[in-house]
Amino acid sequence: MLENITFANPEFFWLLLLLPLAVLWYFYKRREQVASLKMPTIKGFSGSGFLPRLKPFLFVLRLLALTAIITAMARPQTEDISTRTKTTRGIDIVMAIDVSSSMLARDLKPNRLVALKEVAGDFIKERPNDRIGLVAYAGEAYTKTPITSDKAIVLSALREITYGELNDGTAIGMGLATAVNRLKESKAVSKIIILLTDGVNNSGFIEPQTAADLAIEYGIKAYTIGIGTNGNALSPIAYNADGSYRYGMRQVEIDEALLKDIAKVTGGQYFRATDNEKLEAIYEEINKLEKTDIEEFKYFRYEEKFRSWVLLAGGLLLFEWVLRNTLFRSFI
């Protein structure tokens, strides 16, 4: 009966401290009211004393009724909370993803591209109030999906990203510039790019420094991530006769100096992901750094529950009155 119940006036429960005093008073007065009669034997009255022994039950009923009344005075009620949120500081995010052949390297499991897509998918799900877009780049770049608040569309597009859609190579400048182009018209208070690569800029007709300058001009912050283990990694080195990849050990080359410079001049940060766990930790860190301010409104609806306690008290008192005037009726 008290499950999920709160009390509007819990101070009335202090009245329960009077119940022990009432019990003491009852036994004190009962001893005064009971007359004593000395007799040589009570054998003739055997079997007639059971009902009088139950008479204190009437007092128990009255105590229970009093407890119910005090509980009703404390105003038990259930609370229904409805919440409405309002985004007061939106963030627009474009994720620029390297899809060159080197992203198939297996130093991350099962490979760099699949590991990235899994972690990026979790990141997208944790940004319900932001708009997100996707850019894919290799030797060239294109917009996979413009910035949108529809996370189902973004997640579907992320799953579709694969190697082979673009000419091979690593055009970091093109990837960054395409991401800037998606954000330059944005009216969001905060605009960020998460650019990930595992190589060195070797393609495209836009220099990374030029793209970084464009990001600065439009007030866009870039977080850059270099993905790949230190040393050598098992990477595609040739095609087999059946068209599948032949893997071999290759030196991991990431232009960390360039990525650090892009992050620094745009106000972002550079991260290095050498395994799946570090990649996941990087996206969690970015998620913490870029918070969306939410204004939350809570509405409370209360349903009073004291009526059932009043009815219970009334029922107990009525039951006590009936017993007192029937089974326990006294003519003294």
Side-chain angles (χ1 to χ4, degrees):
M1 194 173 185
L2 292 177
E3 186 177 358
N4 298 323
I5 294 289
T6 59
F7 295 91
N9 302 312
E11 61 274 9
F12 279 102
F13 282 122
W14 287 104
L15 294 175
L16 294 175
L17 296 176
L18 297 177
L19 297 185
L21 297 177
V23 172
L24 294 175
W25 177 257
Y26 171 78
F27 284 106
Y28 173 75
K29 295 297 293 182
R30 186 168 182 269
R31 188 173 57 182
E32 284 188 346
Q33 292 172 356
V34 175
S36 61
L37 178 64
K38 293 182 179 181
M39 300 182 66
T41 179
I42 58 172
K43 185 176 181 181
F45 297 95
S46 60
S48 63
F50 176 72
L51 195 60
R53 292 179 183 178
L54 292 180
K55 194 169 184 179
F57 178 65
L58 299 177
F59 179 68
V60 172
L61 290 176
R62 191 168 294 185
L63 287 181
L64 292 175
L66 183 59
T67 301
I69 292 172
I70 292 173
T71 303
M73 292 170 65
R75 285 184 59 197
Q77 53 190 209
T78 57
E79 183 180 277
D80 181 25
I81 305 176
S82 59
T83 304
R84 187 178 68 187
T85 59
K86 177 183 177 183
T87 303
T88 57
R89 183 178 180 269
I91 298 178
D92 282 353
I93 303 170
V94 171
M95 305 173 72
I97 300 173
D98 188 344
V99 292
S100 59
S101 60
S102 57
M103 286 293 289
L104 301 178
R106 295 174 176 172
D107 47 352
L108 276 74
K109 305 300 179 185
N111 61 48
R112 294 173 183 173
L113 184 57
V114 173
L116 165 66
K117 288 164 64 174
E118 291 177 354
V119 175
D122 292 336
F123 176 83
I124 292 169
K125 293 174 185 176
E126 293 175 2
R127 311 293 300 193
N129 301 296
D130 300 325
R131 299 195 305 167
I132 297 178
L134 297 176
V135 166
Y137 73 95
E140 51 191 336
Y142 77 103
T143 300
K144 183 67 177 177
T145 179
I147 52 175
T148 176
S149 58
D150 191 333
K151 301 306 184 296
I153 291 177
V154 181
L155 289 170
S156 177
L158 179 66
R159 287 190 293 267
E160 294 172 357
I161 290 179
T162 185
Y163 166 72
E165 297 178 331
L166 300 169
N167 294 328
D168 203 11
T170 306
I172 295 175
M174 292 289 292
L176 182 58
T178 303
V180 170
N181 190 50
R182 303 315 314 177
L183 286 170
K184 66 180 183 180
E185 303 296 334
S186 170
K187 303 299 182 183
V189 176
S190 182
K191 298 175 283 188
I192 72 170
I193 293 171
I194 302 175
L195 183 140
L196 182 141
T197 184
D198 66 345
V200 177
N201 186 69
N202 56 24
S203 303
F205 55 85
I206 298 179
E207 291 297 322
Q209 291 82 358
T210 303
D213 291 338
L214 289 172
I216 296 170
E217 181 179 347
Y218 291 108
I220 300 170
K221 186 189 303 182
Y223 290 96
T224 57
I225 303 173
I227 184 170
T229 189
N230 296 312
N232 297 315
L234 190 63
S235 308
I237 57 174
Y239 285 102
N240 294 314
D242 60 359
S244 62
Y245 294 109
R246 183 183 305 164
Y247 282 81
M249 299 303 293
R250 291 180 59 179
Q251 179 71 28
V252 176
E253 294 184 72
I254 301 174
D255 194 343
E256 292 193 282
L258 173 64
L259 297 179
K260 289 178 181 178
D261 183 63
I262 292 173
K264 181 179 180 180
V265 298
T266 59
Q269 290 187 33
Y270 167 71
F271 302 92
R272 178 68 185 273
T274 55
D275 54 39
N276 294 59
E277 290 72 22
K278 288 186 178 179
L279 179 62
E280 185 176 351
I282 287 168
Y283 274 89
E284 289 178 356
E285 180 66 18
I286 296 174
N287 193 34
K288 294 176 183 177
L289 290 171
E290 294 294 335
K291 288 292 186 181
T292 300
D293 293 339
I294 302 297
E295 188 174 358
E296 186 176 80
F297 300 90
K298 286 189 177 180
Y299 301 89
F300 299 86
R301 184 171 64 86
Y302 298 98
E303 184 178 350
E304 298 289 347
K305 298 293 183 180
F306 68 88
R307 295 176 184 84
S308 58
W309 291 96
V310 172
L311 292 175
L312 176 61
L316 291 170
L317 290 175
L318 178 61
F319 185 45
E320 188 259 354
W321 181 84
V322 171
L323 291 178
R324 185 177 297 276
N325 288 276
T326 53
L327 292 176
F328 299 100
R329 186 173 182 180
S330 175
F331 297 96
I332 298 177

